[in-house]
């Protein structure tokens, strides 16, 4: 046993320093595409323990990889293969520290699972709107470290917009308490926003003060069959105008994506599955009278049908039906995994340019890689598509990835650049895109990012080799 492991055991207790046996829960990434080797997995229970662990590792020159629920999709929360990095799991820090209903804030520790945060808010009579398919496993610390998005961004913003304050342990092992919960504070640089989205490379988030919202009185959900991406964008415009802030979700799903759900989850009913090129899921959170809202929602869909930007539409009659519709949307990634390995993208493009992006990129892909299948779906209301690429039917998916992944990525990302988009709208950079980012980010931006990293973590101890290389 190394001296460092002994020292860490002295800080958090020997039972919480794992360095033998099967550590794959912490070493293997969610998509099972990357397996690292940790020197040890350390599981502190308090902020003071986090700080003491950071100081011990810094003194030993040992890098730390912070980890929450290990649901990240860009190889950011697992160690490299060297066996020299300590994984710091925040999962034991899951307390709800405070609820302030007058200030509309909830303060929780970083390891709190997102679903538990939502439940704590609900029990207090409020809504915490961050919502994503990994919510039963991901932690709020991981959500903030990746600035997670999800299905309600259109109305409430991403994780950054939902956070008023942070508690962070710095690379030097100091504790910064920024949990004030102030909505206005212009006393210098915004340190909170620096740590949010930094993917564990600038500091370790130990707690957060989050915004609470009123629970909607009711939620209306509809599914529309849509003839084209142009039509989907037009439907979004109509929905925005008619519903204003009541529009909380607007998801688009390509026909092939939906056909995979039909194929692999036979019990799920997909509305108008073969009848139209795209399906759109709309959600309307109602604050006032439900009946009036339903009539407004119906008239919005009637306008869309008259204009031809929808060819058919259905409104969920009850919560169970609404859940079923969302279940279809959320089953797309799983259905795609059932179909075989695939190349994932989480791009964003200005909403107005998405139709042209899809037309051009679909055509280029079809031309350059014959038979390729597109699983296109995503948060159209945020200009964010999961523009995923699947091997040709019956082809060897593993060989396809080996031979074509770089080519597909280059093609998709060149198009993203041509349309002033981003190569990551949600999942982040991690280790997966760290060497791709310099091709798509300006040298000035990269230089500023490196300067920030070097100022905050001069020893390059926090998640080295992720986001930006030093
Ligand atoms: P981890 O995977 O453990 O870590 C992610 C990154 O954050 C790593 O770089 C890690 O070092 C860092 N980190 C973790 N905790 C801390 C901390 N306390 N302090 C500092 N750094 C930390 N993302 C979206 O944005 N929108 C979606 O809709 C969405 N859907 C998903 C659906 C599924 C089924 C899955 C598996 C993932 C999805 N994701 C989505 C990816 C998303 O990034 C993660 O689910 C989540 O935000 C990460 O939380 P985590 O606790 O699992 O973090
Ligand atoms: Zn998403």
């Amino acid at each position: 046993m190394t001296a460092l492991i002994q020292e860490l055991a002295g800080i958090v207790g020997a039972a919480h320093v794992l360095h033998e046996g099967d550590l794959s829960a912490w070493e293997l990434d969610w998509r099972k595409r990357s397996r690292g080797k940790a020197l040890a997995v350390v599981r502190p229970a308090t902020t003071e323990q986090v700080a003491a662990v950071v100081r011990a590792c810094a003194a030993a020159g040992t890098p730390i990889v912070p980890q929450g629920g290990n649901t990240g999709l860009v190889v950011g929360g697992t160690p490299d293969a060297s066996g020299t990095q300590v994984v710091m799991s925040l999962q034991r820090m899951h307390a709800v520290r405070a609820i302030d209903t007058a200030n509309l804030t909830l303060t929780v520790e970083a390891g709190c699972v997102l679903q538990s945060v939502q439940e704590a808010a609900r029990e207090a009579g409020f809504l915490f709107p961050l919502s994503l398919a990994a919510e039963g496993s991901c932690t709020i610390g991981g959500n903030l470290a990746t600035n997670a998005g999800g299905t309600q961004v259109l109305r409430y913003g991403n994780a950054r917009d939902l956070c008023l304050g942070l508690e962070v342990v710095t690379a030097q092992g100091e504790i910064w308490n920024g949990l004030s919960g102030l909505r206005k504070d212009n006393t210098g640089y915004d340190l909170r926003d620096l740590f949010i989205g930094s993917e564990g490379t600038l500091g370790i988030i130990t707690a957060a003060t989050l915004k609470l919202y009123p629970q909607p009185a009711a939620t209306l959900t509809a599914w529309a069959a849509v003839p084209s991406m142009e039509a989907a964008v037009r439907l979004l415009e109509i929905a925005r105008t008619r519903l204003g802030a009541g529009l909380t979700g607007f998801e688009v799903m390509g026909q092939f994506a939906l056909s995979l759900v039909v194929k692999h989850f036979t019990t799920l009913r997909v509305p108008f599955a073969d009848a139209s090129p795209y399906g759109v899921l709309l959600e309307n959170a109602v604050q006032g009278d439900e009946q009036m809202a339903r009539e407004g929602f119906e008239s919005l869909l009637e306008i869309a049908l008259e204009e031809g930007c929808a060819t058919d539409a259905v409104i969920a009659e009850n919560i169970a039906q609404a859940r079923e519709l969302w279940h279809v949307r959320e089953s797309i990634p799983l259905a795609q995994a059932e179909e075989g390995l695939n190349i994932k993208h989480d791009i964003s493009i200005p909403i107005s340019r998405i139709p042209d992006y899809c037309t051009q990129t679909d055509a280029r892909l079809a031309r350059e890689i014959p038979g390729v299948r597109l699983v296109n779906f995503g948060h159209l209301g945020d200009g964010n598509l999961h523009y995923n690429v699947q091997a040709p039917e019956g082809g060897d998916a593993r060989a396809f990835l080996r031979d074509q992944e770089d080519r597909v990525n280059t093609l998709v990302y060149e198009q993203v650049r041509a349309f002033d988009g981003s190569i990551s709208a949600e999942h982040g950079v991690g280790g997966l895109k760290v060497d791709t980012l310099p091709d798509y980010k300006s040298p000035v931006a990269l230089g500023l990012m490196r300067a920030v990293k070097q100022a905050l973590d001069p020893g390059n101890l926090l998640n080295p080799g992720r986001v930006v290389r030093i």
Side-chain angles (χ1 to χ4, degrees):
M1 198 192 293
T2 69
L4 177 63
I5 289 177
Q6 256 169 2
E7 196 181 347
L8 297 179
I11 297 167
V12 301
H16 300 297
V17 183
L18 317 175
H19 57 99
E20 286 164 343
D22 180 12
L23 300 180
S24 50
W26 297 273
E27 291 176 336
L28 182 64
D29 84 305
W30 178 275
R31 293 181 66 201
K32 301 190 169 47
R33 289 191 63 178
S34 167
R35 179 185 286 276
K37 175 88 192 82
L39 175 69
V41 176
V42 188
R43 304 178 351 114
T46 64
T47 303
E48 288 68 27
Q49 288 183 5
V50 172
V53 167
V54 170
R55 288 195 298 270
C57 288
T62 296
I64 298 172
V65 181
Q67 190 181 93
N70 194 16
T71 68
L73 299 174
V74 291
V75 194
T78 46
D80 68 14
S82 65
T84 60
Q85 301 184 326
V86 163
V87 171
M88 183 189 286
S89 167
L90 279 296
Q91 277 175 317
R92 287 178 69 216
M93 291 186 60
H94 51 70
V96 173
R97 286 199 193 160
I99 295 187
D100 182 339
T101 54
N103 198 43
L104 286 175
T105 50
L106 171 64
T107 300
V108 296
E109 289 182 343
C112 211
V113 169
L114 175 55
Q115 200 171 314
S116 310
V117 179
Q118 296 165 345
E119 276 160 18
R122 196 176 310 125
E123 274 164 28
F126 293 93
L127 171 74
F128 180 65
L130 188 66
S131 171
L132 41 119
E135 64 199 22
S137 313
C138 62
T139 63
I140 193 69
N143 299 146
L144 289 163
T146 58
N147 187 26
T151 54
Q152 306 274 301
V153 176
L154 177 62
R155 162 71 178 87
Y156 299 101
N158 43 29
R160 182 187 305 283
D161 301 301
L162 298 171
C163 178
L164 289 171
L166 290 179
E167 179 186 82
V168 173
V169 170
T170 68
Q172 293 71 33
E174 291 177 319
I175 299 169
W176 170 55
N177 184 337
L179 291 172
S180 57
L182 300 177
R183 282 176 164 74
K184 300 180 99 170
D185 177 11
N186 282 346
T187 53
Y189 305 140
D190 197 324
L191 300 175
R192 174 196 64 203
D193 274 352
L194 208 50
F195 291 111
I196 294 175
S198 69
E199 300 184 48
T201 62
L202 299 182
I204 298 172
I205 298 168
T206 48
T209 298
L210 306 167
K211 281 188 199 167
L212 294 175
Y213 285 84
Q215 286 276 8
T219 303
L220 302 172
T221 308
W223 188 291
V226 166
S228 65
M229 197 57 102
E230 283 89 346
V233 170
R234 176 67 193 133
L235 177 57
L236 173 64
E237 264 181 87
I238 298 173
R240 275 216 168 107
T241 312
R242 306 286 296 198
L243 302 177
L247 181 65
T248 50
F250 194 97
E251 300 284 311
V252 70
M253 297 150 285
Q255 191 181 40
F256 180 64
L258 292 172
S259 77
L260 292 181
V261 176
V262 174
K263 177 174 168 188
H264 294 288
F265 300 105
T266 46
T267 54
L268 281 179
R269 287 191 310 115
V270 180
F272 325 117
D274 304 320
S276 69
Y278 292 96
V280 166
L281 187 56
L282 301 95
E283 191 183 81
N284 174 16
V286 180
Q287 290 300 354
D289 180 77
E290 186 179 347
Q291 191 48 38
M292 267 176 64
R294 185 171 275 272
E295 284 161 21
F297 203 40
E298 279 166 6
S299 85
L300 172 177
L301 292 169
E302 274 159 24
I303 292 170
L305 290 168
E306 276 164 27
E307 270 201 28
C309 59
T311 51
D312 222 332
V314 58
I315 299 182
E317 288 299 324
N318 49 45
I319 293 172
Q321 277 183 14
R323 281 216 185 99
E324 218 174 279
L325 295 178
W326 274 105
H327 196 37
V328 171
R329 160 64 184 84
E330 277 154 10
S331 299
I332 293 174
L334 302 172
Q336 195 185 1
E338 287 290 314
E339 186 70 9
L341 285 173
N342 52 75
I343 305 171
K344 285 196 194 305
H345 303 112
D346 67 305
I347 56 173
S348 62
I349 310 280
I351 296 170
S352 51
R353 304 186 70 188
I354 281 183
D356 284 346
Y357 176 88
C358 291
T359 309
Q360 282 190 22
T361 314
D362 293 5
R364 269 193 72 185
L365 273 171
R367 198 167 56 236
E368 295 184 25
I369 311 172
V372 87
R373 297 177 297 165
L374 274 177
V375 183
N376 189 5
F377 64 98
H379 320 290
L380 186 63
D382 315 324
N384 171 198
L385 293 178
H386 294 297
Y387 192 85
N388 298 344
V389 178
Q390 198 105 25
E393 174 122 50
D396 177 348
R398 206 164 283 280
F400 175 73
L401 250 66
R402 188 191 59 223
D403 300 338
Q404 302 287 8
E405 184 162 15
D406 285 348
R407 197 166 156 216
V408 168
N409 286 344
T410 304
L411 193 157
V412 169
Y413 293 155
E414 272 177 3
Q415 289 285 116
V416 164
R417 178 169 37 211
F419 281 81
D420 298 323
S422 165
I423 65 165
S424 176
E426 288 198 314
H427 302 157
V429 178
L432 194 69
K433 292 184 187 155
V434 65
D435 295 319
T436 310
L437 191 67
D439 295 336
Y440 300 96
K441 197 125 186 139
S442 81
V444 176
L446 280 169
L448 290 170
M449 281 169 62
R450 277 197 201 99
V452 170
K453 169 72 175 172
Q454 276 162 331
L456 268 64
D457 179 20
N460 198 18
L461 288 172
L462 294 180
N463 220 356
R466 269 74 196 259
V467 182
V468 64
R469 285 198 197 278
I470 298 301

